Amino acid sequence: MIVEAKSAAPPTEDERRLRAPWRSVEIAFWVLAAAAYLLLPHQLPLLAQAAIGGLFALSVDLLLGIAGVMSLGHAAFFGIGGYVAGLLAQSGWGEPLSGLVAAGLVAGGCGFLSSFLVLRGSDLTRLMVTLGISLLVMEAANRMTWLTGGSDGLQGIDVWPIFGVWEFDLYGRTAYVYALGVLFACFLLVRRVVHSPFGLTLRGIKGNPRRMSALGTPVGRRLVGVYTLAAALAGIAGALLTQTTQFVSLDVFGFDKSSEALLAVVLGGAGTLYGAIVGALMLMELETLLARITPEYWQFWIGIAFMAQALYARGGILGFTVRLWTRLRRGVAAPSRTAP
Amino acid sequence: MTPALEMRRLTKSFGGLVVTNNVSLSLAPGERHALIGPNGAGKTTLVNLLTGVLAPSSGEILLHGEHITEKRPYLRARLGLARTFQVNQLFPLLTPLEAVVMAILQRRGIATRWWSGLTRDRAVLDEAWALLERLGLGDCRHEPTRELPYGRQRLLEIALALALQPRVLLLDEPAAGVSETEGRDLFTTLAALPPEVTVLLIDHDMDLVFRFAERITVLVGGAVLVQGPPQQIAADPRVREVYLGAESHG
Amino acid sequence: MLTVLFDGIATGALLFLSSVGLSVTLGVMNFVNLAHGVFAMTGGYVAVVLLNRWGVPFLATLPAAFAASAGLGVVVERLFYRKLYDAGALEQVLFTTGLVFAAMAAAAFLMGSQHQIIQLPAFLAGQFHLFKGFDLGVYRLFLIVFCGCVALALQLVLSRTRFGSRLRAAVDNATVANALGINVGRLFAVTFAVGCGLAGLGAALGVEILNLDPSFPLKFLVYFLIVVAAGGTGTISGPLLASLVLGICDVAGKYYVPDIGAFIIYGVMVAMLIWRPHGLFGRRAVR
Ligand SMILES: Nc1ncnc2c1ncn2[C@@H]1O[C@H](COP(=O)(O)OP(=O)(O)OP(=O)(O)O)[C@@H](O)[C@H]1O
Ligand SMILES: [Mg+2]
């Protein structure tokens, strides 16, 4: 089988695969997302929300789909980011971009500190610790009425125009461009990280932490890194929500926020990055649709969707499509591995 | 000369069960040493103690004269102590190329880079490719590991350890479950390791062990029964009794 | 002071009943069952409907609540959970979270979102005058005695019967038990059903103390998890002790420091998990 005369150097094909160059589908995805501005002018507020949900889900995917860390409390960081941006704007500094940065830094800092508590023990312990911490944070926010406005939420959030030029408008045009731009920037970062040596290590940890430490990798420290990054991204997503809706309430900390992000990731296909965004979009559409049909009891059907997903569609929709695609075009690599 | 790897009165017990019993052993740099013993003798446990997967109940471990008894597993790996696992410990979703590149990046200390791509250092890729070729994994280097046949996975298990360019290599039944030809190829590769690499080989195949090793230690019930060059071990009546007698082939 | 202690013990007793079953699914079967509260809630609502709408006597609603929850447990276990035993923790989380959401919406649809109120029978309504300044509510006394009896019965079943010894064997090592010819699957199914039944019983007994409403499964999830985490698996005394401590902490916290009430509970939970991250869930870690 193997030909005798081998070239001394690896084929450039190897390099191409490891480099994970942009593929046409990916470019098409972002072009389409940008085109939605023109194509779906009435949907823009909703699409902005979807982009924010997509960013939050992306941070969960980085954690779950890439590094294999399961969290039931990621909304804690989303909420922290949301309140940081809200409090900044309320106290007179409404500049949006610096608000995002501040939110990301604070949420990332909280993520870093809590990571030492979270990243021990088994999956089950992690699920409970993350859940417990997010409940603690929510309860704290609930008690600190003087700071957070308690159950009424933060009032009087005034966000300045972006770059001092583009005012947030009623039709959600600015909001969509802003949210999509931030999502894209964060996506670039995550994509870079996933296909870097650090990202490869994370995928290795997901696959087999035991072997990773035998290879010389301090597994705990790598996970602290990715947990911090994921928390910062979640914080940015939360800040985006506050800035685009000019409002933030305790809902941002909710257990349903955390679990819906998990669902979005699994729905779209864990570990694929795009899956998280597509999943969040689909979940949002589904919720809007259900809310229109049964305004009070849509949660019932969401619950059913969770259950069906767990039972029948492992690997997610994008995972399924990617598998199909690879099967059709054997030999052409998928953008990254799909979940097992 | 300082031994490459030294165990001093190493003991491990699980509850009341003593699995490693006062083992003292020292391997000279470059030595090819074999560890044999019947099933359940405590060979894998010894490797786990050496690599830090398990903490010993008492005793010390020295690597090139440095105390590593308390060191975490990843630090021992960084000091040049690599192992293979008796039961494959691989990355099901990564390809052999990715897995080996990952190990090499780790060894070179650039695995924390998050801002550059995987191919920035051409040398990493060259090295990974050469290693895979050497182990005959070149033609399947792009298949996800879980889709590889068992024999190939076994080779990858060894490739990952070799990618660390270890100074001391612990091989826990590397040829278990691979075909005879693959096993022979494997030992050709191991025989071609640089002479300064110290190897501790665990295997049940006596022919291979006797051909490969310069010295052999027989472990029975967690304790060292006898130690010496192959001819001496082969001639030792106690070894015949507990080991070679128990196994029908010998 | 003593009254707080007493109320705490009563709440703890209810928590014990509601969560002892979870220690089996979560700790022993290694199934991430976040929906345990759904089964408890079902029992609670069955009791409320029987009592308030159909006028069934309080004591007679209890077996019905048990049966309803156990029945639901059997159905859900056989139809769904069984398929997810081999799946990852993620699928189990998704499924059981979905079940919680669906059940909460269904409960709101069927029963309304208000707290349920029940009319206790006359013989449970009075006060028991022990000595000056210390009155015991008969109802709470009843709860404590009842739960104590159940705990005792469970302990006897576990230590004295054939079923109990098999269960202990399976808890210790499911693979070995299987090899010994014990039908571990059926054993767990029965245990699961009983656990769900007890949860329903607990909720039925404590409709008002536990504030039964549609958010019950989510509200009590954390409490249940704490009991399992702190109490460990495979014993009755572990979860019992953990429940009592939790109940007392909870009542005392709400009584003395109402401002940071829930804070204490979550704080205790996180602290405990950090203190014993590995040893909490029995021997085997999830995959
Ligand atoms: N974690 C553990 N807890 C309790 N006993 C253990 C544990 N690990 C190993 N043992 C026991 O220690 C003994 C030695 O096991 P070990 O795996 O080291 O043997 P081995 O020599 O590698 O055997 P084999 O040739 O089958 O690989 C066995 O009796 C085993 O049951
Ligand atoms: Mg072994």
Side-chain angles (χ1 to χ4, degrees):
Chain A
M1 286 272 254
I2 308 164
V3 201
E4 258 312 293
K6 284 172 206 145
S7 55
T12 42
E13 165 72 4
D14 286 23
E15 191 173 350
R16 200 191 59 77
R17 277 175 192 247
L18 287 177
R19 197 155 24 90
W22 282 78
R23 290 154 0 108
S24 36
V25 206
E26 296 182 79
I27 296 165
F29 176 89
W30 291 106
V31 169
L32 212 65
Y37 180 79
L38 300 175
L39 298 178
L40 300 166
H42 301 295
Q43 300 275 335
L44 291 182
L46 197 70
L47 285 175
Q49 298 305 302
I52 294 165
L55 179 55
F56 183 45
L58 183 67
S59 77
V60 172
D61 195 27
L62 180 63
L63 211 52
L64 174 74
I66 303 298
V69 176
M70 227 181 290
S71 166
L72 269 182
H74 209 53
F77 306 114
F78 184 81
I80 288 173
Y83 270 95
V84 167
L87 288 168
L88 264 183
Q90 194 194 33
S91 56
W93 179 256
E95 203 288 309
L97 285 176
S98 53
L100 285 187
V101 173
L105 287 177
V106 174
C110 294
F112 176 75
L113 292 178
S114 63
S115 68
F116 296 96
L117 311 179
V118 168
L119 298 170
R120 336 160 97 217
S122 62
D123 277 355
L124 197 50
T125 320
R126 275 183 198 165
L127 283 175
M128 289 184 48
V129 176
T130 49
L131 177 65
I133 289 181
S134 75
L135 289 169
L136 263 177
V137 171
M138 182 168 182
E139 191 58 28
N142 189 22
R143 294 291 162 188
M144 292 193 282
T145 322
W146 52 272
L147 184 68
T148 61
S151 48
D152 297 333
L154 271 191
Q155 309 289 342
I157 293 173
D158 177 31
V159 182
W160 302 345
I162 298 164
F163 299 129
V165 181
W166 292 292
E167 192 96 46
F168 283 96
D169 58 304
L170 279 179
Y171 312 101
R173 283 193 217 121
T174 313
Y176 180 65
V177 175
Y178 180 50
L180 187 65
V182 174
L183 172 64
F184 184 61
C186 292
F187 181 86
L188 288 181
L189 174 73
V190 172
R191 194 182 188 283
R192 174 79 288 191
V193 168
V194 167
H195 295 291
S196 72
F198 178 65
L200 184 59
T201 320
L202 294 178
R203 286 190 278 154
I205 290 172
K206 183 189 178 197
N208 193 339
R210 200 164 156 210
R211 185 55 183 256
M212 284 311 279
S213 69
L215 292 179
T217 304
V219 171
R221 253 188 262 164
R222 300 287 176 276
L223 291 181
V224 166
V226 69
Y227 196 77
T228 305
L229 178 59
L233 290 172
I236 293 176
L240 268 183
L241 183 68
T242 303
Q243 292 176 346
T244 53
T245 57
Q246 323 254 331
F247 179 71
V248 55
S249 75
L250 291 175
D251 290 346
V252 287
F253 292 108
F255 172 72
D256 45 352
K257 264 248 141 31
S258 300
S259 56
E260 277 173 19
L262 272 186
L263 178 64
V265 167
V266 178
L267 195 65
T272 57
L273 305 190
Y274 286 96
I277 301 174
V278 174
L281 177 66
M282 287 194 309
L283 196 60
M284 174 135 324
E285 291 293 341
L286 184 67
E287 283 180 6
T288 330
L289 186 74
L290 287 174
R292 206 175 310 138
I293 303 169
T294 58
E296 284 176 75
Y297 306 109
W298 59 272
Q299 261 208 333
F300 179 78
W301 297 107
I302 290 291
I304 300 290
F306 270 70
M307 293 170 13
Q309 168 74 43
L311 283 175
Y312 303 113
R314 295 182 195 166
I317 295 188
L318 208 71
F320 176 77
T321 325
V322 167
R323 271 203 302 279
L324 195 71
W325 186 248
T326 9
R327 194 146 307 161
L328 289 178
R329 296 181 43 182
R330 270 243 159 241
V332 178
S336 78
R337 305 287 139 230
T338 56
Chain B
M1 193 165 39
T2 15
L5 181 66
E6 190 180 355
M7 296 148 240
R8 292 183 186 161
R9 294 187 306 283
L10 214 50
T11 298
K12 174 74 187 176
S13 45
F14 293 108
L17 181 69
V18 181
V19 180
T20 305
N21 192 356
N22 207 18
V23 171
S24 296
L25 198 65
S26 102
L27 276 62
E31 180 176 339
R32 304 292 142 104
H33 198 109
L35 184 66
I36 62 173
N39 289 109
K43 305 180 293 291
T44 301
T45 305
L46 192 63
V47 172
N48 283 336
L49 291 173
L50 292 174
T51 50
V53 174
L54 294 173
S57 310
S58 66
E60 310 179 315
I61 305 163
L62 286 83
L63 186 69
H64 298 290
E66 187 184 347
H67 282 270
I68 58 164
T69 323
E70 309 277 305
K71 282 203 158 51
R72 308 268 301 279
Y74 80 91
L75 287 174
R76 303 186 196 204
R78 289 179 175 191
L79 289 173
L81 180 66
R83 74 176 288 188
T84 66
F85 290 81
Q86 183 172 2
V87 178
N88 282 346
Q89 297 288 331
L90 299 171
F91 307 96
L93 300 178
L94 299 186
T95 65
L97 181 67
E98 285 170 326
V100 169
V101 162
M102 182 166 74
I104 294 171
L105 288 166
Q106 183 62 60
R107 188 197 79 228
R108 294 184 171 222
I110 49 179
T112 46
R113 269 194 209 157
W114 56 268
W115 59 91
S116 71
L118 289 169
T119 51
R120 211 183 80 167
D121 287 303
R122 181 74 197 189
V124 172
L125 198 57
D126 288 347
E127 192 189 328
W129 190 79
L131 179 60
L132 290 167
E133 282 292 322
R134 184 143 61 97
L135 285 167
L137 288 166
D139 51 339
C140 62
R141 64 185 184 280
H142 296 308
E143 309 253 350
T145 301
R146 64 169 171 194
E147 283 164 26
L148 298 179
Y150 182 79
R152 294 305 183 86
Q153 295 193 0
R154 205 63 200 146
L155 291 175
L156 180 57
E157 176 73 33
I158 289 146
L160 285 177
L162 294 183
L164 298 182
Q165 296 187 347
R167 294 199 287 169
V168 177
L169 177 61
L170 313 174
L171 299 163
D172 197 351
E173 304 196 18
V178 305
S179 74
E180 212 164 296
T181 14
E182 281 172 324
R184 223 175 306 124
D185 289 351
L186 179 61
F187 271 88
T188 317
T189 313
L190 292 179
L193 281 173
E196 66 272 15
V197 177
T198 313
V199 182
L200 180 68
L201 169 74
I202 297 173
D203 210 299
H204 284 298
D205 187 332
M206 286 306 119
D207 292 342
L208 283 176
V209 165
F210 279 65
R211 235 179 304 141
F212 180 80
E214 297 158 359
R215 266 196 325 147
I216 297 178
T217 297
V218 184
L219 203 66
V220 176
V224 175
L225 179 74
V226 59
Q227 192 189 114
Q231 308 86 325
Q232 184 194 327
I233 297 296
D236 196 304
R238 287 172 300 171
V239 177
R240 286 197 168 272
E241 192 185 326
V242 298
Y243 194 85
L244 303 178
E247 306 260 316
S248 49
H249 63 274
Chain C
M1 169 64 198
L2 278 175
T3 320
V4 170
L5 192 67
F6 182 66
D7 278 7
I9 293 176
T11 310
L14 288 175
L15 282 177
F16 167 73
L17 269 195
S18 309
S19 52
V20 69
L22 187 63
S23 83
V24 175
T25 32
L26 203 72
V28 180
M29 295 153 87
N30 258 332
F31 185 84
V32 186
N33 182 15
L34 301 180
H36 190 68
V38 170
F39 302 103
M41 179 175 74
T42 307
Y45 275 121
V46 165
V48 166
V49 168
L50 288 179
L51 195 74
N52 289 355
R53 297 208 188 145
W54 296 357
V56 178
F58 178 68
L59 290 182
T61 63
L62 299 180
F66 180 91
S69 292
L72 184 67
V74 169
V75 171
V76 171
E77 203 267 345
R78 287 288 98 179
L79 284 184
F80 303 118
Y81 280 19
R82 218 164 37 114
K83 294 187 185 161
L84 292 167
Y85 285 154
D86 295 331
L90 182 61
E91 276 83 12
Q92 299 170 354
V93 165
L94 279 182
F95 185 87
T96 53
T97 310
L99 187 56
V100 167
F101 285 165
M104 280 165 53
F109 175 69
L110 295 171
M111 303 296 301
S113 57
Q114 72 280 19
H115 282 173
Q116 296 296 327
I117 295 169
I118 53 168
Q119 185 63 51
L120 285 173
F123 67 91
L124 287 178
Q127 295 272 319
F128 209 71
H129 188 72
L130 210 57
F131 51 82
K132 192 166 155 24
F134 184 50
D135 294 320
L136 296 181
V138 175
Y139 173 47
R140 287 189 158 74
L141 195 63
F142 168 76
L143 289 181
I144 294 174
V145 172
F146 188 97
C147 295
C149 292
V150 171
L152 209 62
L154 288 177
Q155 181 64 50
L156 286 179
V157 168
L158 205 59
S159 60
R160 295 287 161 79
T161 64
R162 207 174 151 69
F163 179 83
S165 59
R166 290 174 163 218
L167 186 62
R168 275 181 292 132
V171 166
D172 243 24
N173 192 330
T175 330
V176 172
N178 240 331
L180 290 176
I182 297 175
N183 186 341
V184 175
R186 210 174 51 205
L187 200 68
F188 280 159
V190 173
T191 315
F192 184 77
V194 173
C196 291
L198 288 175
L201 189 61
L205 278 167
V207 167
E208 284 189 30
I209 294 186
L210 301 178
N211 278 333
L212 183 66
D213 68 13
S215 69
F216 183 90
L218 210 51
K219 234 172 23 188
F220 278 89
L221 175 61
V222 181
Y223 287 73
F224 296 156
L225 291 177
I226 296 176
V227 171
V228 178
T233 58
T235 63
I236 298 296
S237 50
L240 182 62
L241 197 67
S243 308
L244 292 181
V245 172
L246 181 63
I248 293 167
C249 285
D250 191 37
V251 172
K254 281 179 185 148
Y255 186 81
Y256 293 113
V257 275
D259 282 344
I260 53 167
F263 223 77
I264 296 183
I265 299 299
Y266 302 145
V268 165
M269 166 181 171
V270 171
M272 216 168 46
L273 286 166
I274 287 155
W275 176 47
R276 290 174 58 191
H278 294 286
L280 296 173
F281 299 105
R283 286 137 269 260
R284 288 155 291 145
V286 177
R287 308 226 294 165

